[in-house]
Amino acid sequence: MISPENNEPHPPGARYLIVLTFVSGMTIMGLEMCSGRLMAPFFGTSVMIWTVIIGSTMTALTAGYYLGGLLAEKKPRVEFLATILFFAASFVIFLPYVAQPVMEMALGRFSVAAGSSSHALVTALSICALLISAPAVILGMTSPFIIHVAAMDASAVGRIAGKVFAFSTLGSILGTLMPALVLLPWIGMRLSFFFFGGLLLCTVLWPLRRSGFFYFAAGAGILAVALLLGVNGLKAPLKPPLVHQRETLYQQVSIFKIPIPSEKENAKATILLTDAGIGMQSMWIEGSPITDSWQDMFALVPRVYQAANRKFPDNMLLIGLGGGCAPYLIGQQCPDTLIDGVEIDKGLLEAAVPYFPFSYSPRLVSHVSDGRLFMRSSHRQYDVVLVDAFRPPHIPFHLASLEFFAEVKQRMTGNGLLAMNIGTTGEKLVFRGIANTVAAVFPYVYYAEYFPTEGGSVFTSRLLIASKNDVSADRPEVESAILAFPDQTWNKLFQVMRDLQRSSDDSQASFFKKIPYDYTGMVFTDDLSALEIVSEKEFMPLTLGYKTGVTK
């Protein structure tokens, strides 16, 4: 029995309850979507990370639904619900400022103390899941609580419940769409949390007006401090060597200019990094024909085609344009080749164009699209299809499936080539799986491994070459023709790279090695692909080392 003396209900108007339901539903999904961006710099944006975020949110909501029903019977007062939602909104507002240092500490401490990469990752992810789940539990209480309060003076419980869930879902839809389409690209991650938490905070102040001045003063103080922190974060000056940074629909893009040893005075390397993956996205040294990175392997692609066809390719399709370094390198060998460059992230292109060598590639036509979608919609036949869309550990599985490579084959001319840059490490399961999938479609598959001129690399890069007709790249005379660059800078570079003593494959007898199809090996398909799981397993130690500064 509810004691009327202690728990006399004060149900506000039905319209207010619907508004509260709507805002609460929007905040739940806004919290979930923004949490993906919050965790991306530390853990990436893989399926596993989103599984943790979605799973922990659903678990928290389950607990919230149950607790909300219990509390509604014991204290059926909207003022009580508004009070706990006040604290939940405040937590959402300041979540980035709490979670980021906690994630840094968790990764740094557990990656060293645990001695196991998987243990460290699971521990750090668990801590983050708890932080995200805390406000989600309270937000989950809203719907059952409001249904109980609204039904106290009405008999149409079913109609009330339907209306509550309908408006909660409408709010959730808006909370799902707004972060990706509006908030994250325009105001950033921290102010996106501020938007959802602040809107909820303002909404719950109405029933708290009977509690005196405290909540209004506290709410105003919280909003002022959070807004000041968020705006200052937007206006924070870029500290060298960082020269540009922006949020896009897919990731955070950072561009650096780093001084490098060179005969030229004030020589600098321009580097593009994103928070989705490890290693650099693109690197360019202004005034140099080479980038002194794995990207230099791309200059080999038109030469392989030329060795097999006695001419350079007329046109190419590049999936994964990034900083436009591949067209710059390829254009030095075949300046008349038309290149269709496809990049899914428009914001990345807009950030990269002023800093990278797009102006040096007059035959480059940039397209904003998913690579596979563009290829399907294009009716052009290409001499070369170059895929550079893999950023370990995040490899789009639909760009490495049997069906994708079959579509590539249909878009290639009779003597065309498929070329792919694949990062790998450890047991090289990612490379072996993709290479075997390619070999299931193309009868002739080769690869060459990139050897840095000095120092090391975060992971091993391999260039995969596939064709309908045999290019015989492993024959000594063909290999010599491919690597015989007229430019002395290129000659010196590939003489160093051709040093097979540094190869990670003991059986590699030539720079290009042929790969036969293994009927018992992995083959990735659109319907069944373990690529993301294999990639997470292979690159997990590197991911932790890269995020904590252990890996150089």
Side-chain angles (χ1 to χ4, degrees):
M1 294 285 295
I2 299 174
S3 173
E5 291 79 14
N6 298 327
N7 296 287
E8 182 181 355
H10 297 285
R15 291 182 179 179
Y16 172 79
L17 295 179
I18 292 301
V19 170
L20 181 59
T21 300
F22 179 85
V23 173
S24 177
M26 183 170 63
T27 305
I28 289 172
M29 289 308 302
L31 170 67
E32 183 175 347
M33 299 301 294
C34 292
S35 294
R37 179 54 56 88
L38 175 65
M39 296 174 66
F42 303 90
F43 304 107
T45 56
S46 67
V47 170
M48 186 182 75
I49 304 305
W50 275 108
T51 299
V52 171
I53 294 173
I54 296 172
S56 59
T57 302
M58 297 304 294
T59 302
L61 290 177
T62 301
Y65 295 149
Y66 183 78
L67 292 174
L70 292 178
L71 291 175
E73 292 186 354
K74 294 182 178 181
K75 293 188 175 183
R77 299 170 59 92
V78 175
E79 291 88 341
F80 173 73
L81 175 63
T83 301
I84 59 177
L85 284 175
F86 179 92
F87 292 103
S90 304
F91 194 97
V92 170
I93 290 173
F94 290 109
L95 182 59
Y97 307 98
V98 175
Q100 286 180 325
V102 169
M103 285 188 281
E104 289 178 357
M105 181 187 68
L107 274 178
R109 178 176 180 180
F110 290 107
S111 62
V112 175
S116 166
S117 297
S118 59
H119 184 195
L121 189 61
V122 169
T123 304
L125 278 173
S126 299
I127 294 173
C128 298
L130 288 174
L131 289 173
I132 296 170
S133 299
V137 171
I138 300 177
L139 290 168
M141 297 180 185
T142 307
S143 292
F145 205 104
I146 288 178
I147 290 173
H148 180 82
V149 171
M152 292 178 66
D153 294 331
S155 58
V157 178
R159 185 183 303 173
I160 293 172
K163 185 179 294 186
V164 167
F165 284 116
F167 279 91
S168 177
T169 303
L170 283 175
S172 297
I173 293 171
L174 191 60
T176 301
L177 297 176
M178 287 187 68
L181 300 181
V182 181
L183 297 178
L184 290 173
W186 288 99
I187 65 174
M189 179 264 297
R190 293 183 176 183
L191 285 179
S192 295
F193 277 100
F194 171 81
F195 173 82
F196 289 110
L199 184 60
L200 179 62
L201 187 68
C202 293
T203 304
V204 301
L205 285 177
W206 172 250
L208 294 176
R209 66 191 186 280
R210 297 188 182 92
S211 301
F213 186 69
F214 171 76
Y215 285 104
F216 281 92
I222 290 170
L223 293 174
V225 170
L227 182 60
L228 184 63
L229 289 173
V231 171
N232 284 340
L234 286 178
K235 295 181 178 180
L238 300 177
K239 297 180 180 180
L242 181 64
V243 296
H244 183 80
Q245 192 170 59
R246 66 177 295 176
E247 297 274 355
T248 74
L249 288 177
Y250 298 91
Q251 56 208 334
Q252 184 182 74
V253 175
S254 302
I255 298 176
F256 300 82
K257 281 188 176 290
I258 301 176
I260 58 173
S262 175
E263 297 177 357
K264 295 184 177 181
E265 188 177 353
N266 299 324
K268 293 183 178 181
T270 304
I271 295 176
L272 188 153
L273 297 177
T274 69
D275 59 10
I278 59 177
M280 64 182 179
Q281 184 92 355
S282 298
M283 174 176 169
W284 179 50
I285 303 174
E286 187 171 2
S288 172
I290 66 175
T291 66
D292 201 18
S293 71
W294 49 266
Q295 297 171 120
D296 293 331
M297 296 279 283
F298 296 144
L300 288 175
V301 176
R303 298 192 67 84
V304 174
Y305 183 90
Q306 193 265 349
N309 298 281
R310 308 283 185 187
K311 70 182 186 72
F312 284 115
D314 293 323
N315 54 38
M316 297 179 61
L317 171 62
L318 170 59
I319 297 177
L321 182 55
C325 292
Y328 169 71
L329 297 167
I330 292 168
Q332 296 178 51
Q333 309 302 317
C334 43
D336 295 327
T337 299
L338 176 66
I339 302 176
D340 279 328
V342 183
E343 173 59 51
I344 194 172
D345 192 343
K346 180 181 179 181
L348 185 148
L349 275 184
E350 292 174 345
V353 165
Y355 298 95
F356 284 87
F358 287 86
S359 60
Y360 291 85
S361 305
R363 301 284 286 170
L364 169 65
V365 180
S366 301
H367 307 270
V368 177
S369 176
D370 175 83
R372 188 166 177 179
L373 178 61
F374 177 86
M375 191 173 60
R376 280 181 170 178
S377 59
S378 173
H379 299 291
R380 176 174 291 174
Q381 297 293 111
Y382 293 97
D383 292 328
V384 175
V385 176
L386 173 58
V387 181
D388 184 33
F390 302 162
R391 183 93 188 278
H394 312 305
I395 302 176
F397 84 94
H398 69 294
L399 297 181
S401 67
L402 191 76
E403 292 83 356
F404 169 70
F405 296 127
E407 292 172 13
V408 170
K409 191 175 182 180
Q410 292 177 352
R411 285 285 175 266
M412 285 167 43
T413 56
N415 296 321
L417 296 179
L418 164 67
M420 303 178 69
N421 167 56
I422 304 174
T424 189
T425 187
E427 298 180 4
K428 299 177 174 54
L429 295 177
V430 169
F431 174 80
R432 284 158 51 190
I434 295 176
N436 200 55
T437 305
V438 172
V441 177
F442 290 90
Y444 302 100
V445 182
Y446 295 87
Y447 82 87
E449 187 170 314
Y450 171 70
F451 306 118
T453 54
E454 59 181 31
S457 180
V458 175
F459 47 80
T460 302
S461 293
R462 287 181 169 180
L463 179 68
L464 196 73
I465 301 287
S467 59
K468 305 173 187 177
N469 303 314
D470 195 1
V471 297
S472 302
D474 57 341
R475 289 171 53 187
E477 64 274 18
V478 177
E479 181 180 295
S480 297
I482 294 170
L483 297 176
F485 278 58
D487 185 277
Q488 290 302 313
T489 303
W490 284 103
N491 259 327
K492 180 180 178 181
L493 172 67
F494 282 102
Q495 283 176 8
V496 174
M497 289 177 55
R498 203 176 181 184
D499 182 7
L500 300 179
Q501 293 181 358
R502 297 188 296 158
S503 173
S504 60
D505 189 341
D506 295 334
S507 64
Q508 186 168 344
S510 61
F511 186 61
F512 289 95
K513 179 176 175 60
K514 196 170 186 178
I515 302 176
Y517 175 58
D518 181 2
Y519 290 91
T520 63
M522 287 186 293
V523 173
F524 303 127
T525 68
D526 286 345
D527 181 60
L528 181 61
S529 176
L531 178 57
E532 290 170 306
I533 297 175
V534 171
S535 178
E536 285 287 343
K537 180 180 179 181
E538 181 169 322
F539 291 102
M540 189 181 294
L542 284 181
T543 302
L544 284 176
Y546 187 75
K547 300 301 183 185
T548 58
V550 175
T551 302
K552 301 297 184 184

